[in-house]
Amino acid sequence: LFIEYPIRNLIKHSTPSLIKLSVSCVLVIIGFFCFSNTKLPNYPMPAYPFIAIIIAYGIQQAQAALHKKYIWVAFLIISSLIPVSVFFLLGNILETKELKYWASLLLILPISVIVLLLVKNKLSPNLILYCLFSCFFLFNFAFYNVVYPKILVRNPVIRTSSQWNSQEQLYAYQMYNPGFNFYLDKPILILKDSISLFNTLTEDPKRKVISRLKLYENLDTSKLLLLASYPDLFESPTTVIFKLKP
Protein backbone atom coordinates (compact mmCIF):
# COMPACT_ATOMS: atom_id res chain seq x y z
CA LEU A 1 0.00 0.00 0.00
CA PHE A 2 2.74 2.50 0.95
CA ILE A 3 5.64 1.19 -1.15
CA GLU A 4 4.09 2.25 -4.47
CA TYR A 5 5.07 5.93 -4.08
CA PRO A 6 8.74 5.36 -3.13
CA ILE A 7 9.14 2.95 -6.07
CA ARG A 8 7.42 5.37 -8.45
CA ASN A 9 9.67 8.23 -7.31
CA LEU A 10 12.70 5.97 -7.55
CA ILE A 11 11.92 5.30 -11.20
CA LYS A 12 11.54 9.06 -11.78
CA HIS A 13 14.93 9.68 -10.07
CA SER A 14 13.31 11.99 -7.50
CA THR A 15 13.84 9.81 -4.43
CA PRO A 16 16.06 10.89 -1.49
CA SER A 17 19.41 9.10 -1.15
CA LEU A 18 18.31 7.38 2.07
CA ILE A 19 15.39 5.75 0.27
CA LYS A 20 17.62 4.64 -2.61
CA LEU A 21 20.02 3.08 -0.10
CA SER A 22 17.14 1.37 1.74
CA VAL A 23 15.68 -0.07 -1.47
CA SER A 24 19.12 -1.38 -2.47
CA CYS A 25 19.61 -3.04 0.93
CA VAL A 26 16.18 -4.67 0.83
CA LEU A 27 16.76 -6.03 -2.68
CA VAL A 28 20.18 -7.43 -1.78
CA ILE A 29 19.08 -9.06 1.51
CA ILE A 30 15.80 -10.53 0.27
CA GLY A 31 17.32 -11.45 -3.09
CA PHE A 32 20.08 -13.37 -1.32
CA PHE A 33 17.63 -15.49 0.66
CA CYS A 34 15.45 -16.09 -2.41
CA PHE A 35 18.29 -18.25 -3.73
CA SER A 36 19.07 -19.83 -0.36
CA ASN A 37 18.14 -23.47 0.28
CA THR A 38 16.94 -22.44 3.73
CA LYS A 39 13.98 -20.07 3.98
CA LEU A 40 12.84 -19.25 7.51
CA PRO A 41 10.72 -16.22 8.52
CA ASN A 42 13.46 -14.68 10.66
CA TYR A 43 16.22 -14.83 8.03
CA PRO A 44 15.39 -11.57 6.19
CA MET A 45 15.15 -9.63 9.49
CA PRO A 46 18.19 -7.43 8.61
CA ALA A 47 15.98 -5.94 5.89
CA TYR A 48 13.20 -4.90 8.30
CA PRO A 49 14.69 -1.51 9.35
CA PHE A 50 15.16 -0.55 5.71
CA ILE A 51 11.61 -1.66 4.86
CA ALA A 52 10.37 0.47 7.77
CA ILE A 53 12.18 3.51 6.33
CA ILE A 54 10.63 2.92 2.90
CA ILE A 55 7.14 2.48 4.36
CA ALA A 56 7.50 5.61 6.53
CA TYR A 57 8.46 7.60 3.45
CA GLY A 58 5.56 6.04 1.56
CA ILE A 59 3.10 6.98 4.32
CA GLN A 60 4.26 10.57 4.12
CA GLN A 61 3.80 10.62 0.36
CA ALA A 62 0.69 8.50 -0.03
CA GLN A 63 -1.85 9.81 2.48
CA ALA A 64 -3.73 11.52 -0.32
CA ALA A 65 -4.18 8.15 -2.06
CA LEU A 66 -5.77 6.39 0.90
CA HIS A 67 -9.22 6.81 -0.60
CA LYS A 68 -8.28 5.31 -3.97
CA LYS A 69 -10.08 2.01 -4.38
CA TYR A 70 -7.46 0.24 -6.55
CA ILE A 71 -4.86 0.53 -3.78
CA TRP A 72 -7.20 -1.14 -1.30
CA VAL A 73 -8.09 -3.91 -3.76
CA ALA A 74 -4.39 -4.64 -4.23
CA PHE A 75 -3.87 -4.51 -0.49
CA LEU A 76 -6.78 -6.92 0.05
CA ILE A 77 -5.36 -9.41 -2.48
CA ILE A 78 -1.91 -9.33 -0.89
CA SER A 79 -3.22 -9.60 2.68
CA SER A 80 -5.46 -12.54 1.67
CA LEU A 81 -2.56 -14.40 0.07
CA ILE A 82 -0.65 -14.46 3.38
CA PRO A 83 -2.99 -16.78 5.37
CA VAL A 84 -3.71 -18.85 2.27
CA SER A 85 0.01 -19.33 1.60
CA VAL A 86 0.72 -20.23 5.24
CA PHE A 87 -2.17 -22.74 5.19
CA PHE A 88 -0.83 -24.60 2.14
CA LEU A 89 2.78 -24.31 3.28
CA LEU A 90 2.02 -25.94 6.63
CA GLY A 91 -0.25 -28.51 4.99
CA ASN A 92 2.45 -29.63 2.56
CA ILE A 93 4.99 -30.42 5.29
CA LEU A 94 4.45 -33.61 7.25
CA GLU A 95 5.77 -32.17 10.53
CA THR A 96 3.38 -29.19 10.45
CA LYS A 97 0.40 -30.65 8.62
CA GLU A 98 -1.81 -30.71 11.71
CA LEU A 99 -1.08 -27.02 12.34
CA LYS A 100 -2.39 -25.73 9.02
CA TYR A 101 -5.72 -24.55 10.46
CA TRP A 102 -3.88 -22.19 12.80
CA ALA A 103 -3.31 -20.10 9.68
CA SER A 104 -6.94 -18.98 10.08
CA LEU A 105 -5.74 -16.60 12.82
CA LEU A 106 -3.94 -14.65 10.11
CA LEU A 107 -7.30 -13.82 8.53
CA ILE A 108 -7.26 -10.89 10.96
CA LEU A 109 -5.50 -8.83 8.31
CA PRO A 110 -7.75 -9.39 5.24
CA ILE A 111 -10.90 -9.14 7.37
CA SER A 112 -9.68 -5.83 8.79
CA VAL A 113 -8.92 -4.57 5.29
CA ILE A 114 -12.44 -5.48 4.13
CA VAL A 115 -13.98 -3.58 7.04
CA LEU A 116 -11.79 -0.53 6.36
CA LEU A 117 -12.60 -0.74 2.67
CA LEU A 118 -16.31 -0.45 3.50
CA VAL A 119 -15.99 2.48 5.90
CA LYS A 120 -12.91 4.34 4.60
CA ASN A 121 -14.98 7.14 3.03
CA LYS A 122 -16.27 8.06 6.48
CA LEU A 123 -12.80 8.22 8.07
CA SER A 124 -10.02 10.77 7.94
CA PRO A 125 -6.62 9.73 6.50
CA ASN A 126 -5.03 9.81 9.98
CA LEU A 127 -7.76 7.59 11.44
CA ILE A 128 -7.36 5.14 8.54
CA LEU A 129 -3.62 4.94 9.29
CA TYR A 130 -4.26 4.32 12.99
CA CYS A 131 -6.69 1.53 12.09
CA LEU A 132 -4.18 0.01 9.68
CA PHE A 133 -1.42 0.07 12.27
CA SER A 134 -3.76 -1.60 14.79
CA CYS A 135 -4.60 -4.31 12.25
CA PHE A 136 -0.93 -4.98 11.59
CA PHE A 137 -0.22 -5.07 15.31
CA LEU A 138 -2.90 -7.74 15.84
CA PHE A 139 -1.69 -9.66 12.79
CA ASN A 140 1.94 -9.69 13.99
CA PHE A 141 0.89 -10.56 17.52
CA ALA A 142 -1.12 -13.55 16.25
CA PHE A 143 1.70 -14.75 14.03
CA TYR A 144 4.73 -14.30 16.29
CA ASN A 145 3.04 -15.18 19.60
CA VAL A 146 0.63 -17.95 18.57
CA VAL A 147 1.27 -19.45 15.12
CA TYR A 148 5.07 -19.25 14.85
CA PRO A 149 5.81 -20.72 18.33
CA LYS A 150 3.67 -23.75 17.48
CA ILE A 151 5.69 -24.24 14.31
CA LEU A 152 9.01 -23.64 16.03
CA VAL A 153 8.58 -26.50 18.54
CA ARG A 154 8.45 -28.91 15.59
CA ASN A 155 12.10 -28.28 14.74
CA PRO A 156 14.49 -31.23 15.23
CA VAL A 157 16.46 -29.52 18.00
CA ILE A 158 13.47 -29.38 20.34
CA ARG A 159 12.01 -32.72 19.19
CA THR A 160 15.26 -34.51 20.00
CA SER A 161 15.73 -32.76 23.37
CA SER A 162 14.79 -35.96 25.21
CA GLN A 163 18.03 -37.50 23.92
CA TRP A 164 20.39 -34.86 25.36
CA ASN A 165 20.64 -32.19 28.06
CA SER A 166 22.00 -28.66 27.88
CA GLN A 167 25.07 -29.43 30.02
CA GLU A 168 26.08 -32.47 27.99
CA GLN A 169 29.08 -32.46 25.66
CA LEU A 170 27.75 -33.21 22.19
CA TYR A 171 29.76 -33.99 19.09
CA ALA A 172 28.94 -33.36 15.45
CA TYR A 173 30.00 -35.37 12.44
CA GLN A 174 30.92 -32.87 9.70
CA MET A 175 27.61 -30.97 9.36
CA TYR A 176 24.71 -30.44 11.75
CA ASN A 177 21.74 -28.17 12.50
CA PRO A 178 23.27 -24.97 13.97
CA GLY A 179 20.15 -24.50 16.10
CA PHE A 180 21.70 -26.86 18.66
CA ASN A 181 24.23 -24.16 19.57
CA PHE A 182 21.50 -22.04 21.18
CA TYR A 183 20.41 -24.81 23.57
CA LEU A 184 23.77 -26.12 24.80
CA ASP A 185 26.07 -24.74 27.48
CA LYS A 186 29.16 -26.23 25.84
CA PRO A 187 30.40 -25.74 22.27
CA ILE A 188 29.82 -28.69 19.93
CA LEU A 189 33.02 -30.47 18.93
CA ILE A 190 33.28 -31.18 15.20
CA LEU A 191 34.53 -34.57 13.99
CA LYS A 192 35.75 -34.17 10.42
CA ASP A 193 36.18 -37.80 9.34
CA SER A 194 34.96 -41.29 10.19
CA ILE A 195 38.25 -42.25 11.85
CA SER A 196 38.06 -39.47 14.43
CA LEU A 197 34.35 -40.22 14.84
CA PHE A 198 34.80 -43.87 15.79
CA ASN A 199 37.88 -43.09 17.90
CA THR A 200 35.87 -40.55 19.89
CA LEU A 201 32.94 -42.92 20.38
CA THR A 202 35.20 -45.82 21.31
CA GLU A 203 36.80 -43.75 24.08
CA ASP A 204 33.38 -43.25 25.64
CA PRO A 205 30.42 -45.21 24.17
CA LYS A 206 27.98 -42.87 25.96
CA ARG A 207 29.00 -39.95 23.76
CA LYS A 208 26.35 -38.74 21.32
CA VAL A 209 26.82 -37.32 17.85
CA ILE A 210 24.52 -35.10 15.79
CA SER A 211 24.75 -34.99 12.02
CA ARG A 212 22.80 -35.22 8.75
CA LEU A 213 21.03 -38.39 7.65
CA LYS A 214 22.98 -38.59 4.37
CA LEU A 215 26.29 -38.42 6.24
CA TYR A 216 25.10 -41.02 8.74
CA GLU A 217 24.10 -43.43 5.97
CA ASN A 218 27.63 -43.27 4.53
CA LEU A 219 29.07 -44.60 7.79
CA ASP A 220 29.28 -48.19 9.01
CA THR A 221 25.84 -48.04 10.62
CA SER A 222 26.10 -51.63 11.88
CA LYS A 223 28.24 -50.24 14.71
CA LEU A 224 25.97 -47.30 15.46
CA LEU A 225 22.68 -46.86 17.30
CA LEU A 226 20.33 -44.28 15.80
CA LEU A 227 18.64 -42.42 18.67
CA ALA A 228 16.51 -39.94 16.72
CA SER A 229 15.86 -38.71 13.20
CA TYR A 230 13.76 -35.66 12.29
CA PRO A 231 13.61 -33.52 9.13
CA ASP A 232 14.70 -29.91 9.50
CA LEU A 233 11.76 -27.51 9.21
CA PHE A 234 11.51 -25.84 5.78
CA GLU A 235 14.88 -27.34 4.84
CA SER A 236 15.96 -30.41 2.90
CA PRO A 237 18.39 -32.07 5.41
CA THR A 238 17.32 -34.51 8.13
CA THR A 239 18.93 -34.26 11.56
CA VAL A 240 20.05 -37.46 13.27
CA ILE A 241 21.48 -38.27 16.71
CA PHE A 242 23.42 -41.46 17.22
CA LYS A 243 25.96 -43.17 19.42
CA LEU A 244 28.00 -46.36 19.47
CA LYS A 245 26.08 -49.59 19.92
CA PRO A 246 26.58 -51.23 23.34
Side-chain angles (χ1 to χ4, degrees):
L1 179 60
F2 299 116
I3 290 181
E4 176 196 4
Y5 277 78
I7 299 301
R8 185 189 300 175
N9 290 340
L10 185 65
I11 296 173
K12 293 179 179 179
H13 306 289
S14 60
T15 303
S17 299
L18 177 61
I19 304 303
K20 293 179 180 178
L21 174 64
S22 299
V23 171
S24 300
C25 292
V26 170
L27 292 177
V28 170
I29 295 170
I30 295 181
F32 175 81
F33 287 108
C34 284
F35 294 97
S36 172
N37 290 329
T38 303
K39 295 179 177 64
L40 296 178
N42 56 313
Y43 282 9
M45 285 182 69
Y48 291 179
F50 300 105
I51 294 174
I53 292 172
I54 297 170
I55 292 176
Y57 177 73
I59 290 172
Q60 183 185 23
Q61 301 293 318
Q63 287 194 41
L66 286 174
H67 291 288
K68 292 183 178 179
K69 190 173 181 180
Y70 78 92
I71 291 181
W72 286 92
V73 172
F75 191 26
L76 177 60
I77 293 173
I78 295 172
S79 62
S80 299
L81 286 175
I82 296 174
V84 172
S85 300
V86 172
F87 176 83
F88 284 109
L89 176 64
L90 297 179
N92 288 332
I93 300 175
L94 182 61
E95 289 71 31
T96 60
K97 195 171 185 178
E98 62 188 68
L99 300 176
K100 63 181 180 180
Y101 292 107
W102 283 98
S104 60
L105 282 178
L106 305 183
L107 290 171
I108 292 172
L109 189 57
I111 291 174
S112 300
V113 172
I114 292 173
V115 174
L116 283 174
L117 184 60
L118 296 175
V119 301
K120 66 181 178 63
N121 293 329
K122 302 177 182 178
L123 304 176
S124 66
N126 284 340
L127 187 55
I128 292 176
L129 288 176
Y130 290 139
C131 292
L132 277 174
F133 296 154
S134 300
C135 297
F136 272 102
F137 175 81
L138 292 174
F139 170 80
N140 282 287
F141 183 87
F143 180 76
Y144 285 106
N145 291 276
V146 181
V147 180
Y148 189 57
K150 290 184 177 297
I151 299 172
L152 192 61
V153 296
R154 303 302 177 98
N155 75 74
V157 180
I158 295 179
R159 298 189 75 176
T160 60
S161 59
S162 61
Q163 301 293 338
W164 50 269
N165 63 75
S166 60
Q167 298 178 343
E168 185 178 2
Q169 178 62 69
L170 285 183
Y171 296 81
Y173 176 58
Q174 296 186 4
M175 299 181 65
Y176 68 100
N177 188 317
F180 281 93
N181 294 314
F182 298 100
Y183 293 85
L184 297 171
D185 296 335
K186 300 178 181 179
I188 297 173
L189 302 180
I190 308 295
L191 305 172
K192 297 183 178 180
D193 53 63
S194 59
I195 296 176
S196 59
L197 168 68
F198 282 102
N199 287 340
T200 300
L201 293 179
T202 303
E203 290 175 4
D204 185 356
K206 293 182 180 180
R207 289 173 176 170
K208 298 170 185 174
V209 181
I210 55 178
S211 187
R212 304 295 196 189
L213 181 60
K214 288 185 177 180
L215 296 173
Y216 172 79
E217 291 175 340
N218 291 331
L219 296 169
D220 184 1
T221 56
S222 63
K223 300 178 181 179
L224 301 173
L225 177 63
L226 184 63
L227 300 174
S229 175
Y230 290 104
D232 292 6
L233 278 180
F234 309 115
E235 300 180 43
S236 54
T238 296
T239 291
V240 296
I241 299 183
F242 61 90
K243 65 178 184 179
L244 202 64
K245 281 186 177 179

